[in-house]
Every structure is written in structure tokens, then in C-alpha cells.
């Protein structure tokens, strides 16, 4: 028997049907080991030795694969056909060969670009060795990401408390987004006017034209820049009748089809046409690739979806040309096949473009087997692939100049008519942004020189220049691709990391940098500018491609990078030939950057236009609204950044780190605003604190604080008066007594907003209800509703997958805040990314739950061992010293795996950027 290892259970299920009883197909569930998220996993001072960890699910999968491989004839590693897939195969081989029982087991690599019976059987018949150059490129990329993340992040935390971690490629993507936002903020709109005319030819057909020459002079965009100039131009045109055609220009052009999809273009078009996010697109494509059940036969519908190669197989080209001839006719079939070449320097993420595995499997034939989103994406891929082999479209472009009687005023009409649609009959690519003055498909009457033209309407139109648009996920991926930053397998993770760290947010499908992201970018561009430059990052990607192509050694690339990076802020270059450890590098960089006050000064200078914009009201943008003579600036505290006055402690004015509007400044500029006094003579005031506006009753006295109530988000500070302030200060109030318990229901405003409280049970008041006026019926209704789970979602019972075969306990599937998970009793186990919720089986769920239970048991054991006697701790320390004192040669030999740690060792895990 032969054992085959693939990445996902869905793929294993499909391939198992193709291979039969002589093969056993198992899933690795993606990567089986990784660099532990703690210091020392990559050691530049030990020739870049790397320590790998396969705890938890990875260890369980290795154990299962190893057990199946004992006594097997051969182990075939059939992971995905890209660098990551090659790396997973390498990890599996290294782990399995470390076991004595498997040291001599023959292992080979097989790769297929599509999951069809023919492709799988061909791959199995032609095994090969693991491509070490691809593995080396993976090792270099993984080490680089680790070294940058685990060096930058501690410095970021020290200099800017409250910041998240910083990653190598993600930081550059964040810079792109932040710089676009700065462009938008600095943009000053310019006014301009155009003169638009609706005209009619001799046959009465109406068409539009625009003034291009005024008083014999060609107009530039801003020549007519106000209403008076526009009215003068309008009068000149109106006085120029009658109009005649002065010139007609006709040009024919051809528009060629687009290449078939690669990863980035699929993500872009799925965003434009279908509204899918990058991660959503890749999940759907993964399902289409791994296999869909078509009347009992499981078939992969598309080829591998992580690729930057645009070529198609000869088989696909032949099938495509045959289908075009049959379905559309010979005039849509070019004389010879279209051959596309990738613009990428080293396109080798996979060998072929994304295409249907069988073009004759038309979208309408498979739609009934697919979910709606799968059908839409398959339709998009099918059309793009087939269109890429079709004939070019032919267009007739026309420009007509219409002149006034004296020839001084000229209007131009342009149009473009498709005379042969070619590939456009099937597919046209969308744009991220609309094109100004798009004249495609604008039909013009058949005019000739000297024809008279009658004006129907002539009018001026006002315009303002627009700022550059914010990036969408699609346009950011396009920009990264243009710059040569990232690769097909990384685009989705780059976007996801930025959103997970709250550096950016999606607003109307546009990426908006958060203030936290602006701070991190300002810090990195001022203290690590070279390493977040577009050119440097692209060059480094090129070097990684050189490694995968066998043109560079991976450790040489790492050594060159680390030597420069670790000594960035040192006065003298390092010429000693020895590379510093990570701890030494952090110390060098920390000292070279300077104190936190240096960082604050730099951030204030860099971000002043953002946080303190000139509102055009004649006031200094950074003037303190409370004391009047202080200057506002960015301050850093242990919980993060905020804005405060430099007259502290005399002036205690602070506000959250955010751009303040003119209305907020007006409301808080005079400091506390007194509305009046209560019956006891205590003042009722409106104040501004670090977390927003609030009303206060009285003043602070020794040993007690005055009563304060925050304004809810829907209350405008400028609209607060004495009556409203008194109502707010009356909170919490009794709404009434619950009809069942007769206990009071209270309504108030707390840390997380308006709430109801009954018998110790709290319930948030929805934004459509008013805490000051909510009545008994509504309060009882809200309290009767189920409480929400974490992340603000309604707690759901979950979908039952089955029952434990021994205990009979229910196993359920849930959608949680951090993704789908399975649950049995009190044990929750997250679904790996390789498993789709729709595909999870009871066996899969029980395996995940068992692994999670085992990990929980180990964690409890480790917790108990923390209280070990001091003598035991000393013994552990001695062993650790002995390990670190080993000669470097020994360290090099153990580059891929270090000795197991003593059981009493304390596990310190620090999450940082990769």
C-alpha cells in the first residue's frame, strides 16, 4: 500500500476515490509545524538556525500519518503546487524521517495543478524529488518575516505603548494606504467649468459636444474657472450661430482580450463584479478547486488558484478554440492560439493560469450543483478563460469638430462604436474607478464636413477636481502587484493582518487607515524608512525569487539583510563579520532611536496636518481649547496614545487620539460649560474628557467624586441644555417593576453605552431606543431576548454534526467571533482554514476536539509545574546553560530542529507579526 498526503480533508476525499484501495489518502490540514512565536526561533548569530514546533494539531497529524506509513511501500507528498505546498511536503519529510521506523521509507513529491482523475493519476505516475530551491525560498521568507516582526515589535511596544506588532510586508501595504489618505487630506479642490451643447444634425439626431476652443484659443482644463468666465464663454458660443461641421476624424482600433486569471486579477475582478472580498474569493475558489459532487462524481472544477502564471495548457487551448468555433462561430476564432506571458519576473507560484478543468462544463450545466457564490465565481472564471482565446473587438472611433460662423469657437463631439464585438460578446473587464468623459458606445450621427448643425441647448456646467480615491481591496492588490510587493499566496493575509490589528478598517468597501495605523506608519517611515520603501521591499522579493530560481543562496540573502537591518542606527558600519543576535539587534536599535520624547517630537511633526488640521477659522490648529495658551500634541501612555496639552499638570485637557471636528472644538473650547444649579445649589456642567463629553453634578470633594454621566453617541454636545442634563444626571432611573418578579427594572448609561438592569441581569439598549424614555413593555421585551455572545452576535445553539459514539454527547458546529469551531460539552475546537464548515464530518470534529482536550490537559500540567521546587529550577537552568554553550557547529547541524526542552521549562509565548 502507498500513503498519499494532501492538505485538506475535502481534497483527500476526492483523490481517494480516484486512486482506489491500493492507496490511503490522508490530510495534513495545512502546515504541520511552524516557528514558535517566541524569541530564539531564528538565530542569526548561529548561521540562521531555526527551531520548528509541531505542537497541538500539527503533532497529531504527524502522528496519524506516521502510523499509517509504518509498513507502507511508499509515501507520496501531494501538497499544493506552490512554494507553501513544497514547504509543507518538506516539513512532513523532515519530521517523518526523524522517526527510526520511517527513516528508510521511500518518499517522493507529486504535484498536480487540477483535481481531476487524469491529472492526479498522471502526477502519481511521475513522482519527483522535493524542490529544495523552492524550500530555501520559503525558509528565507519565513526567517525574514520572523526577524523583522520579532525585532520591530518589541521596539514599537517600548517606544509607542499600546501599539500592535509590525510585519515586513504588511507595514509597506499600510504605508501605501496611509500615504493615499495623506494625499486626500492635503488635496485642495479646484473649480472649473465646461460649456456643454446638445446639437442636432441634418437628420435631426441629437448628440452632445463640448467647447474646446474659445476666441480662437485652445482651452486648458482650468481656463474657465469661475461663473463669470463661464457666462462670458456661453455668450460667445451662443453668438456664434449658425454652426457647421469643420472636420471629421475617423480611426479604427482593435481591443485585445485580457489574459486568463491569475490570483491577483481574480481577486480584483471578483471584487469589482461580484462584490467579494479577497479572502472570500480565495475560500470559494478553494472549494471549486478541491472538488464538487456532480451526480456522485467528485470533480475539481478549476485549476489551482494561487498562481502568477498566465499561460494555459495546450489541452485547455485546444478545448477553448473548439468551443469558441462551435458556440460563437469561426469569425470569433483567431487564426492562431493566443499565447500570454507573465509580467512577473519569476512567475512560478504555480504553472498555469486559473481556468476551468473542462471548458465544456458550462456554467449553466453545473449551476444546480453549486452554491450561489460558487456559481458566480465559476461563471466569471469560465468566461474570462474562454474570452482570452477569442478574436479581438473592432471599434470605430469618431471625432467631429463643429465651428461657429467666424471659426473662433469650436465644439468637439467624440464617440466610439463597436463594429465587431469579438471577445466583448462574452467578457469585459470592469474598472476600479469611473473614467471621466468616457465616450465608449456613444453613437454620433453620420456627418460630413460642411454639414449644418442646429444647437438645441447650450449650458455651462460647474465641476470640481476630486481627490484620489481610497484603495479598495482590489485596487490595493493591483498596486502591490505593480510595485512587485507580495506574491499570490500572501495578498489575502496582508489585508487580513492589517484589519485584524485594527490598523485599517473597511468603510463602503474602501480601506481607511485608523489613527493607530497612521502612528505606526509615521514611526516606521521616520526610523526604519529604508525597510518600508516600496523599491527596497520589491527588490527583496526579487532576491527571494532568485533563491527559488537557484540564482542565490538563502543564507547569503539573510546575512546581507540582517547585517544592515540590525546596525541601522549605529554610527559605524559593522565590518567584523559576526552577526548580532536578535536581543543584541533590539538593544542596538532601541538605543539608536533615542528616548520616547524623541519619538513623540517626530510623530507630532509628521502627523500634525492629520490630527491638527487648519480649519480655516483663523485659530492656531494646535492651540489648547481649555487653557488658551498651551499647545496640543500627541502623548504616549501605557494604554496607548492620546492628545494632551503641553501645560500639564496646570492644564489637564486631553482627548482621544482622533481628528477633532470644528463642532467638537466649539463645544469644548471654553472648558466646562455651566447650565445652572440643582435644588441643592450644585452646578450642572458639560465637560470634555479623554473618552468624550459628559455632564457633571457639582465639583470633586476630598474623598468623593462628583456624579458624571456620559453623552451617548447620538447626543450632539451643542444641543445639551439644563433640562437634558438634569435628565441624564437622574440616571439610572426606575423604568418600572417586572411583572413576573416584581423587582425593579433600571435604565442607565454605563461604560459600554445605555443598558437595562433587572435582578443582576444586564441588557444593552439598542440604538433605536432612548434610555431616557424607554417604557416597561419595551424593557420587558428586551430582557426576554437571549443574551448575545462574544463579538456582539446572538448566541446560537449550533448545528449538530452527530453524537460521540461512546458517550452519546452531541457534537455541534458554530460560527464564532474568530471563525467556525466545533463543540462538545465544554470543549471548543477551532476549525483549521483547510476545512470548510460545510465539509466537516463527525470524524473530523472528534479528532479536533480530542486534540484540543489533550492540549488543555497539557496546559494544566504545565501550570502545576510552575510551583516546582527551587532545586528543580536550578537543574533546568544548568541544562539551559549547557545547551547555549554548545559549539556553533553543533548549532548549525541542528538548524531545523532543536533538542526537546526539559518538562519543567516555562513556556513563554509572545505573539508578534510574521
Amino acid at each position: 500500500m502507498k500513503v498519499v498526503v494532501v492538505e485538506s480533508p475535502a481534497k483527500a476525499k476526492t483523490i481517494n476515490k480516484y486512486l482506489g484501495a491500493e492507496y490511503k489518502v490522508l490530510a495534513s490540514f495545512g502546515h504541520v509545524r511552524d516557528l514558535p512565536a517566541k524569541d530564539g526561533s531564528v538565530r542569526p548569530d548561529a548561521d540562521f538556525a531555526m527551531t520548528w514546533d509541531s505542537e497541538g494539531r500539527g503533532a497529531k497529524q504527524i502522528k496519524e500519518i506516521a502510523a499509517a506509513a509504518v509498513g507502507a511501500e511508499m509515501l507520496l507528498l501531494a501538497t499544493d503546487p506552490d512554494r507553501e505546498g513544497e514547504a509543507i511536503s518538506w516539513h512532513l519529510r523532515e519530521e517523518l524521517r526523524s522517526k527510526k521506523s520511517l527513516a528508510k521509507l521511500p518518499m517522493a513529491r507529486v504535484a498536480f495543478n487540477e483535481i481531476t482523475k487524469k491529472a492526479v493519476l498522471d502526477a502519481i505516475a511521475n513522482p519527483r524529488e522535493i524542490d529544495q530551491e523552492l524550500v530555501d525560498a520559503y525558509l528565507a521568507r519565513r526567517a525574514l518575516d520572523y526577524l523583522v516582526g520579532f525585532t520591530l515589535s518589541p521596539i514599537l511596544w517600548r517606544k509607542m505603548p499600546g501599539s500592535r506588532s509590525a510585519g515586513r510586508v504588511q507595514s509597506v501595504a499600510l504605508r501605501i494606504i496611509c500615504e493615499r489618505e495623506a494625499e486626500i487630506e492635503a488635496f485642495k479642490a479646484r473649480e472649473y467649468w465646461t460649456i456643454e451643447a446638445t446639437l442636432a444634425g441634418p437628420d435631426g439626431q441629437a448628440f452632445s459636444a463640448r467647447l474646446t476652443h474659445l476666441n480662437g484659443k485652445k482651452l486648458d482644463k482650468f481656463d474657465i474657472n469661475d461663473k463669470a468666465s463661464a457666462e462670458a464663454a456661453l455668450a460667445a458660443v451662443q453668438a456664434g450661430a449658425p454652426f457647421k461641421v469643420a472636420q471629421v476624424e475617423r480611426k479604427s482600433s482593435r481591443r485585445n482580450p485580457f489574459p486568463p486569471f491569475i490570483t491577483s486579477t481574480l481577486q480584483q475582478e471578483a471584487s469589482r463584479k461580484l462584490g467579494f472580498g479577497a479572502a472570500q474569493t480565495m475560500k470559494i475558489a478553494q472549494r471549486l478547486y478541491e472538488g464538487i459532487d456532480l451526480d456522485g462524481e467528485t470533480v475539481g472544477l478549476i485549476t489551482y488558484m494561487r498562481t502568477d502564471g498566465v499561460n494555459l495548457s495546450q489541452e485547455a487551448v485546444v478545448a477553448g478554440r473548439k468551443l469558441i468555433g462551435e458556440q460563437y462561430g469561426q469569425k470569433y476564432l483567431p487564426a492562431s492560439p493566443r499565447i500570454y506571458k507573465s509580467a512577473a519576473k519569476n512567475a512560478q507560484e504555480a504553472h498555469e493560469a486559473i481556468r476551468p478543468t473542462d471548458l465544456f462544463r458550462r456554467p449553466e450545466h453545473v449551476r444546480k450543483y453549486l452554491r450561489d457564490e460558487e456559481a458566480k465565481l465559476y461563471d466569471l472564471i469560465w468566461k474570462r478563460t474562454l474570452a482570452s482565446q477569442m478574436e479581438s473587438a473592432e471599434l470605430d472611433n469618431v471625432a467631429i469638430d463643429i465651428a461657429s460662423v467666424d471659426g473662433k469657437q469650436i465644439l468637439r463631439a467624440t464617440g466610439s462604436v463597436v463594429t465587431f464585438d469579438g471577445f466583448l460578446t462574452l467578457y469585459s473587464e470592469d474598472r476600479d474607478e469611473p473614467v471621466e468623459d468616457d465616450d465608449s458606445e456613444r453613437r454620433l450621427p453620420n456627418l460630413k464636413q460642411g454639414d449644418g448643425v442646429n444647437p438645441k441647448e447650450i449650458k455651462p456646467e460647474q465641476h470640481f477636481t476630486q481627490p484620489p480615491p481610497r484603495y479598495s481591496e482590489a485596487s490595493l492588490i493591483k498596486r502591490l502587484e505593480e510595485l512587485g510587493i507580495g506574491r499570490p499566496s500572501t495578498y489575502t493575509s496582508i489585508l487580513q493582518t492589517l484589519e485584524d490589528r485594527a490598523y485599517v478598517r473597511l468603510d463602503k468597501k474602501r480601506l481607511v487607515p485608523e489613527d493607530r495605523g497612521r502612528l505606526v506608519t509615521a514611526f516606521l517611515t521616520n526610523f526604519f524608512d529604508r525597510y518600508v520603501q516600496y523599491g527596497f521591499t520589491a527588490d527583496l522579493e526579487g532576491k527571494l525569487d532568485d533563491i527559488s530560481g537557484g540564482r542565490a543562496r538563502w543564507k547569503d540573502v539573510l546575512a546581507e539583510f540582517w547585517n544592515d537591518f540590525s546596525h541601522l542606527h549605529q554610527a559605524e558600519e559593522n565590518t567584523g563579520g559576526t552577526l548580532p543576535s536578535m536581543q543584541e539587534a533590539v538593544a542596538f536599535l532601541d538605543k539608536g532611536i533615542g528616548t520616547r520624547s524623541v519619538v513623540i517630537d517626530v510623530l507630532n511633526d509628521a502627523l500634525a496636518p492629520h490630527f491638527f488640521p487648519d480649519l480655516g477659522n483663523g485659530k492656531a490648529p494646535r492651540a489648547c481649547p481649555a487653557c488658551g495658551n498651551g499647545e496640543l500634541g500627541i502623548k504616549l501612555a501605557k494604554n496607548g496614545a492620546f492628545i494632551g496639552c503641553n501645560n500639564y499638570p496646570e492644564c489637564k485637557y486631553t482627548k482621544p487620539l482622533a481628528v477633532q471636528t470644528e463642532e467638537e472644538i466649539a463645544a469644548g473650547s471654553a472648558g466646562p460649560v455651566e447650565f445652572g444649579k440643582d435644588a441643592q445649589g450644585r452646578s450642572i456642567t458639560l465637560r470634555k474628557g479623554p473618552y468624550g463629553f459628559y455632564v457633571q453634578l457639582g465639583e470633586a470633594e476630598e474623598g468623593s467624586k462628583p456624579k458624571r454621566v456620559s453623552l451617548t453617541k447620538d447626543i450632539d454636545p451643542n444641543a445639551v441644555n439644563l433640562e437634558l442634563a438634569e435628565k441624564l444626571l437622574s440616571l439610572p432611573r426606575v423604568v418600572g417593576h417586572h411583572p413576573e418578579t416584581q423587582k425593579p427594572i433600571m435604565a442607565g448609561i454605563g461604560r459600554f453605552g445605555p443598558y437595562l438592569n433587572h435582578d443582576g441581569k444586564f441588557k444593552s439598549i439598542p440604538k433605536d431606543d432612548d434610555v431616557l424614555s424607554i417604557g416597561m413593555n419595551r424593557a420587558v421585551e428586551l430582557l426576554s431576548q437571549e443574551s448575545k455572545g462574544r463579538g456582539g452576535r446572538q448566541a446560537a445553539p449550533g448545528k449538530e454534526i452527530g453524537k460521540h459514539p461512546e458517550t452519546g454527547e452531541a457534537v455541534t458546529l458554530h460560527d464564532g467571533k474568530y471563525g467556525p469551531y466545533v463543540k462538545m460539552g465544554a470543549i471548543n475546537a477551532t476549525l483549521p482554514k483547510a476545512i470548510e464548515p460545510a465539509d466537516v464530518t463527525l470524524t473530523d470534529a472528534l479528532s479536533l476536539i480530542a486534540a484540543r482536550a489533550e492540549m488543555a490537559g497539557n496546559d494544566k500540567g504545565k501550570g502545576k509545574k510552575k510551583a516546582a521546587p527551587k532545586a528543580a529550577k536550578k537543574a533546568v537552568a544548568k541544562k539551559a546553560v549547557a545547551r547555549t554553550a554548545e559549539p556553533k557547529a553543533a548549532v548549525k547541524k541542528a538548524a531545523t530542529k532543536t533538542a526537546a526542552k526539559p518538562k519543567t521549562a516555562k513556556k513563554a509565548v509572545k505573539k508578534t507579526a510574521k
Side-chain angles (χ1 to χ4, degrees):
M1 184 187 71
K2 295 180 181 180
V3 175
V4 180
V5 181
V6 296
E7 288 185 39
S8 76
K11 195 190 299 185
K13 196 182 301 181
T14 302
I15 294 172
N16 215 23
K17 294 178 181 178
Y18 295 157
L19 298 180
E22 295 180 9
Y23 293 84
K24 184 171 185 178
V25 186
L26 300 173
S28 71
F29 291 85
H31 277 280
V32 293
R33 64 180 191 175
D34 198 2
L35 296 170
K38 59 183 178 181
D39 291 341
S41 295
V42 178
R43 298 180 294 284
D45 53 329
D47 198 29
F48 297 99
M50 302 169 79
T51 299
W52 300 99
D53 184 6
S54 59
E55 284 189 1
R57 179 180 53 78
K60 178 181 175 300
Q61 294 309 119
I62 290 171
K63 184 177 179 181
E64 184 179 327
I65 293 167
V70 173
E73 178 186 340
M74 175 178 268
L75 180 70
L76 296 172
L77 302 166
T79 49
D80 288 343
D82 60 2
R83 289 174 185 160
E84 288 296 311
E86 208 73 20
I88 293 170
S89 287
W90 176 79
H91 280 302
L92 284 166
R93 185 188 69 181
E94 295 300 299
E95 281 290 325
L96 295 173
R97 279 190 174 170
S98 68
K99 302 180 184 301
K100 290 183 180 179
S101 59
L102 300 175
K104 296 182 179 179
L105 175 68
M107 300 183 195
R109 173 84 166 105
V110 295
F112 34 82
N113 196 46
E114 59 186 68
I115 302 178
T116 58
K117 189 169 185 178
K118 180 179 184 304
V120 171
L121 293 178
D122 285 349
I124 295 293
N126 295 281
R128 61 171 173 82
E129 291 296 313
I130 287 174
D131 188 332
Q132 190 59 44
E133 290 169 350
L134 283 182
V135 174
D136 288 347
Y138 158 81
L139 293 173
R141 183 183 293 276
R142 194 68 192 84
L144 278 171
D145 291 343
Y146 175 92
L147 291 170
V148 172
F150 275 82
T151 305
L152 278 185
S153 296
I155 294 170
L156 204 58
W157 298 332
R158 292 177 194 178
K159 303 301 184 186
M160 294 170 56
S163 296
R164 303 289 178 88
S165 50
R168 181 177 64 88
V169 181
Q170 295 91 340
S171 296
V172 183
L174 179 61
R175 180 178 186 174
I176 293 172
I177 297 168
C178 290
E179 288 186 346
R180 173 57 59 88
E181 196 70 17
E183 285 182 63
I184 294 169
E185 290 170 351
F187 179 81
K188 302 294 183 186
R190 290 187 65 183
E191 180 183 7
Y192 68 99
W193 292 70
T194 58
I195 307 300
E196 307 290 338
T198 301
L199 309 169
D203 61 355
Q205 182 182 341
F207 63 99
S208 59
R210 175 175 291 181
L211 182 66
T212 59
H213 291 72
L214 179 64
N215 296 324
K217 178 190 172 186
K218 185 176 181 181
L219 290 172
D220 289 331
K221 185 173 186 175
F222 298 104
D223 281 349
I224 306 175
N225 57 11
D226 55 30
K227 187 175 182 179
S229 301
E231 289 175 346
L234 175 63
V237 175
Q238 288 173 333
F243 295 95
K244 287 188 176 182
V245 175
Q247 183 178 333
V248 179
E249 294 179 11
R250 296 183 185 276
K251 291 182 181 178
S252 295
S253 63
R254 291 168 65 85
R255 190 180 298 173
N256 295 323
F258 303 96
F261 281 131
I262 58 175
T263 303
S264 61
T265 53
L266 176 64
Q267 290 170 337
Q268 291 163 38
E269 277 291 83
S271 173
R272 297 166 187 148
K273 289 182 179 293
L274 307 177
F276 293 168
Q280 181 186 9
T281 297
M282 297 312 289
K283 282 183 179 179
I284 300 167
Q286 183 88 30
R287 294 200 296 266
L288 294 174
Y289 164 68
E290 290 184 342
I292 301 293
D293 193 322
L294 306 179
D295 291 330
E297 181 187 5
T298 305
V299 179
L301 294 185
I302 64 170
T303 55
Y304 190 57
M305 63 284 156
R306 293 186 183 90
T307 174
D308 51 13
V310 292
N311 58 300
L312 294 173
S313 67
Q314 184 62 30
E315 182 184 73
V317 171
V318 170
R321 289 177 61 80
K322 182 181 179 184
L323 182 56
I324 292 166
E326 290 178 3
Q327 187 163 330
Y328 297 96
Q330 291 302 312
K331 67 178 181 178
Y332 287 91
L333 190 64
S336 59
R338 292 188 180 275
I339 306 298
Y340 296 95
K341 291 187 178 180
S342 174
K345 181 182 176 183
N346 190 10
Q348 57 177 17
E349 292 285 341
H351 305 293
E352 198 178 351
I354 303 167
R355 62 166 176 83
T357 54
D358 182 357
L359 278 164
F360 280 89
R361 198 176 282 124
R362 294 176 174 86
E364 59 270 22
H365 295 164
V366 298
R367 186 169 287 115
K368 63 181 179 181
Y369 304 104
L370 303 176
R371 304 173 193 173
D372 183 57
E373 57 185 10
E374 293 170 346
K376 288 177 179 177
L377 192 66
Y378 181 75
D379 181 74
L380 191 68
I381 294 168
W382 186 88
K383 286 179 176 176
R384 175 83 167 219
T385 306
L386 197 63
S388 73
Q389 290 300 315
M390 294 179 80
E391 187 59 270
S392 301
E394 296 175 5
L395 298 90
D396 187 8
N397 304 307
V398 183
I400 303 174
D401 287 340
I402 298 102
S404 61
V405 68
D406 59 3
K408 291 184 177 181
Q409 328 310 332
I410 296 177
L411 299 107
R412 168 164 280 213
T414 56
S416 176
V417 178
V418 175
T419 55
F420 172 63
D421 55 5
F423 75 95
L424 291 175
T425 193
L426 184 62
Y427 186 89
S428 63
E429 188 172 74
D430 285 3
R431 298 185 177 103
D432 290 310
E433 310 300 335
V435 176
E436 188 178 2
D437 302 329
D438 186 7
D439 61 4
S440 60
E441 291 305 299
R442 183 186 296 167
R443 292 183 176 274
L444 298 177
N446 188 17
L447 298 174
K448 60 182 182 297
Q449 189 172 348
D451 283 349
V453 175
N454 297 318
K456 288 191 167 185
E457 182 184 19
I458 304 174
K459 62 181 180 179
E461 287 189 0
Q462 184 185 33
H463 309 271
F464 291 93
T465 55
Q466 297 297 311
R470 289 185 174 121
Y471 285 104
S472 63
E473 286 191 347
S475 58
L476 180 63
I477 289 170
K478 184 178 181 181
R479 182 65 177 145
L480 290 170
E481 187 181 33
E482 289 170 351
L483 293 169
I485 295 169
R487 288 296 180 263
S489 58
T490 64
Y491 295 135
T492 303
S493 63
I494 290 170
L495 293 167
Q496 193 63 52
T497 300
L498 293 178
E499 292 178 36
D500 289 347
R501 291 179 184 159
Y503 287 159
V504 302
R505 72 178 188 276
L506 267 177
D507 182 18
K508 297 177 182 176
K509 297 188 177 180
R510 295 287 172 169
L511 294 163
V512 183
E514 298 283 17
D515 291 325
R516 172 186 287 169
R518 300 287 291 261
L519 278 174
V520 169
T521 295
F523 176 82
L524 294 175
T525 52
N526 279 278
F527 295 104
F528 294 90
D529 182 53
R530 181 188 178 198
Y531 297 94
V532 288
Q533 286 179 2
Y534 308 153
F536 177 83
T537 308
D539 288 345
L540 196 54
E541 292 286 354
K543 290 178 181 178
L544 293 171
D545 286 341
D546 287 340
I547 294 169
S548 65
R551 298 180 295 275
R553 293 183 67 250
W554 71 282
K555 289 187 178 180
D556 291 346
V557 172
L558 286 178
E560 180 186 0
F561 171 86
W562 183 248
N563 187 58
D564 294 341
F565 180 75
S566 58
H567 295 95
L568 178 62
H569 290 289
Q570 286 187 289
E572 297 180 6
E573 291 186 13
N574 177 45
T575 55
T578 58
L579 293 174
S581 66
M582 285 186 61
Q583 291 82 358
E584 289 171 331
V586 170
F588 293 157
L589 293 167
D590 188 39
K591 183 178 179 181
I593 289 170
T595 62
R596 194 179 292 175
S597 62
V598 172
V599 173
I600 290 173
D601 289 342
V602 168
L603 294 179
N604 274 317
D605 290 341
L607 295 173
H610 171 64
F611 288 114
F612 313 108
D614 187 346
L615 299 173
N617 55 11
K619 296 180 181 179
R622 293 179 65 173
C624 177
C627 69
N629 59 1
E631 187 177 70
L632 298 181
I634 297 169
K635 308 293 181 183
L636 298 173
K638 65 178 181 179
N639 294 324
F642 64 96
I643 290 173
C645 179
N646 64 355
N647 280 341
Y648 180 85
E650 288 76 17
C651 178
K652 294 183 171 62
Y653 177 85
T654 60
K655 77 182 194 76
L657 190 69
V659 179
Q660 198 168 18
T661 65
E662 192 164 8
E663 290 74 19
E664 289 176 325
I665 293 171
S669 60
V673 176
E674 184 171 337
F675 297 118
K677 298 184 184 297
D678 73 344
Q680 299 177 31
R682 294 173 295 184
S683 61
I684 298 174
T685 55
L686 173 69
R687 299 171 184 249
K688 178 80 161 48
Y691 303 105
F693 288 92
Y694 61 93
V695 291
Q696 178 173 307
L697 180 62
E699 299 293 337
E701 296 178 3
E702 189 173 346
S704 65
K705 292 182 178 180
K707 183 173 183 178
R708 295 169 178 170
V709 179
S710 297
L711 267 61
T712 56
K713 291 180 179 179
D714 60 334
I715 298 178
D716 181 356
N718 294 302
V720 179
N721 54 26
L722 179 60
E723 182 184 0
L724 179 55
E726 286 178 329
K727 287 182 178 179
L728 289 168
L729 288 167
S730 70
L731 299 175
R733 68 182 179 89
V734 178
V735 179
H737 289 77
H738 199 286
E740 295 178 3
T741 65
Q742 300 305 313
K743 292 183 179 180
I745 299 173
M746 308 295 292
I749 298 175
R751 181 181 176 189
F752 302 108
Y755 66 87
L756 294 171
N757 178 15
H758 168 250
D759 197 20
K761 177 183 177 182
F762 287 83
K763 185 74 179 181
S764 294
I765 297 176
K767 62 181 180 179
D768 295 332
D769 292 294
D770 183 5
V771 66
L772 297 174
S773 61
I774 190 169
M776 271 293 294
N777 291 341
R778 178 61 174 156
V780 172
E781 179 189 353
L782 288 172
L783 288 167
S784 68
Q785 294 174 1
E786 285 189 58
S787 297
K788 291 185 177 182
R790 289 189 304 170
R793 281 175 289 202
Q794 198 73 27
K799 173 188 173 184
E800 184 170 321
I801 302 169
K803 289 185 169 36
H804 193 286
E806 295 176 7
T807 66
E809 203 167 0
V811 179
T812 52
L813 173 68
H814 301 257
D815 183 19
K817 179 181 179 181
Y818 303 106
Y821 65 95
V822 290
K823 177 182 178 71
M824 185 178 76
I827 302 173
N828 297 344
T830 303
L831 252 62
K833 291 182 180 179
I835 301 182
E836 285 296 325
D839 299 329
V840 68
T841 64
L842 179 61
T843 304
D844 297 335
L846 290 174
S847 298
L848 292 167
I849 288 167
R852 183 71 190 95
E854 186 179 345
M855 285 176 65
N858 291 340
D859 289 344
K860 289 178 183 177
K862 289 173 185 175
K864 291 175 183 176
K865 289 173 187 174
K866 283 185 180 178
K870 288 184 179 180
K873 289 185 179 179
K874 287 180 181 178
V876 173
K878 287 179 182 178
K879 288 181 182 180
V881 170
R883 281 203 310 276
T884 55
E886 291 174 358
K888 283 191 176 181
V891 176
K892 289 179 185 177
K893 190 171 182 180
T896 57
K897 191 173 181 181
T898 55
K901 293 182 181 179
K903 289 184 180 179
T904 51
K906 180 181 177 183
K907 184 180 180 183
V909 176
K910 253 194 280 179
K911 290 187 178 178
T912 107
K914 292 184 179 180

